[in-house]
Amino acid sequence: MTGSGAAAGAATRAADYLAQAGVVPVVVVSSADQALHLADALAAGGLTGMEVTFRSAAAAAAIRAVTDARPGFVVGAGTLLTTASVDAAVEAGAHFGVAPGTNPEVLAHAASRGLDFIPGAATASELDRALALGADVVKLFPAEAAGGVALIDALAGPYPHARLMPTGGIRVDDLPRYLSRPSVLACGGTWIAPRDLLEAGDFAEITRRAASAADTVRTIRDNARKEHHHGA
Ligand SMILES: O=C(O)C(=O)C[C@H](O)[C@H](O)COP(=O)(O)O
């Protein structure tokens, strides 16, 4: 299979999903079965997608299982460092791809396979390069270590149209600061479904963290809408 049909629909879907979700759980899964439980636990908390990193051998099978069995759930493939991992993600049915950095060869390959791709950047030069290579959304990584919201505010001067997904060191309490920045579509992070909770099978705690994140996003968005109305 080429996957090009599904990927064409997903091309608009990544940015739409990010803007709607506000937060993207970044996960490392150990089996397809665990990924299905995880998707259900996240959905029970009100989150409709996740980024499955290619940091475990189970990543491709996990993406395939979730996209097959939970068609409404959005599954991104993360840590796509090579063209081979892009192929594996496309063949597993991933809705979009993500990388921590910007590798022109990987980007070109993702484009040739019709995979919507979010490359990473941590500096002005890297952001400039990612945008020049056609990125629609850029993963600001590692967000906290690279400067957090101060970096985002500084980059917004010369790059006001850049749309960002900050990831790296972000936790639920940081969401209001990040999501108040107009360039930020969503924040990624491992805190919602970290490896220790997955290994312990503590899906109830994952649902609790997902609900907390989803509630926080909803409150931030509601307040922003109210301010907008009052200001208008
Ligand atoms: O695997 C990748 O492609 C990455 O870019 C790294 C992850 O996004 C970070 O590991 C996020 O981890 P936290 O800082 O715990 O939220």
Side-chain angles (χ1 to χ4, degrees):
M1 61 172 278
T2 64
S4 58
T12 49
R13 208 170 161 189
D16 290 350
Y17 154 66
L18 294 177
Q20 178 269 322
V23 64
V24 181
V26 175
V27 302
V28 181
V29 294
S30 58
S31 71
D33 193 52
Q34 184 188 59
L36 279 172
H37 276 102
L38 172 58
D40 291 340
L42 293 170
L47 295 183
T48 57
M50 62 182 171
E51 176 187 327
V52 176
T53 60
F54 270 67
R55 285 204 254 163
S56 68
I63 292 169
R64 177 85 275 160
V66 176
T67 53
D68 277 352
R70 305 288 185 272
F73 198 83
V74 179
V75 187
T79 329
L80 298 184
L81 306 179
T82 63
T83 57
S85 61
V86 167
D87 287 333
V90 169
E91 276 143 33
H95 297 119
F96 62 93
V98 186
T102 295
N103 177 329
E105 193 195 348
V106 171
L107 252 77
H109 192 66
S112 79
R113 300 283 330 243
L115 183 68
D116 198 6
F117 200 84
I118 302 173
T123 66
S125 291
E126 292 162 14
L127 178 60
D128 201 305
R129 188 165 169 77
L131 295 172
L133 289 167
D136 179 31
V137 182
V138 177
K139 171 171 179 161
L140 185 76
F141 176 81
E144 280 287 289
V149 292
L151 174 63
I152 290 171
D153 290 344
L155 291 171
Y159 302 99
H161 304 301
R163 301 201 287 174
L164 303 175
M165 179 177 74
T167 305
I170 297 174
R171 300 294 174 259
V172 68
D173 292 344
D174 302 314
L175 290 177
R177 290 185 301 124
Y178 278 93
L179 293 177
S180 68
R181 268 60 190 185
S183 60
V184 174
L185 290 187
C187 291
T190 60
W191 87 90
I192 296 165
R195 258 180 132 147
D196 58 339
L197 290 182
L198 284 169
E199 269 156 32
D202 194 349
F203 294 103
E205 173 62 12
I206 290 171
T207 294
R208 201 192 63 71
R209 292 188 186 193
S212 164
D215 286 349
T216 302
V217 171
R218 202 173 305 116
T219 302
I220 295 165
R221 298 265 160 91
D222 285 350
N223 289 342
R225 259 192 298 275
K226 276 179 210 149
E227 270 167 38
H228 183 78
H229 281 301
H230 289 153

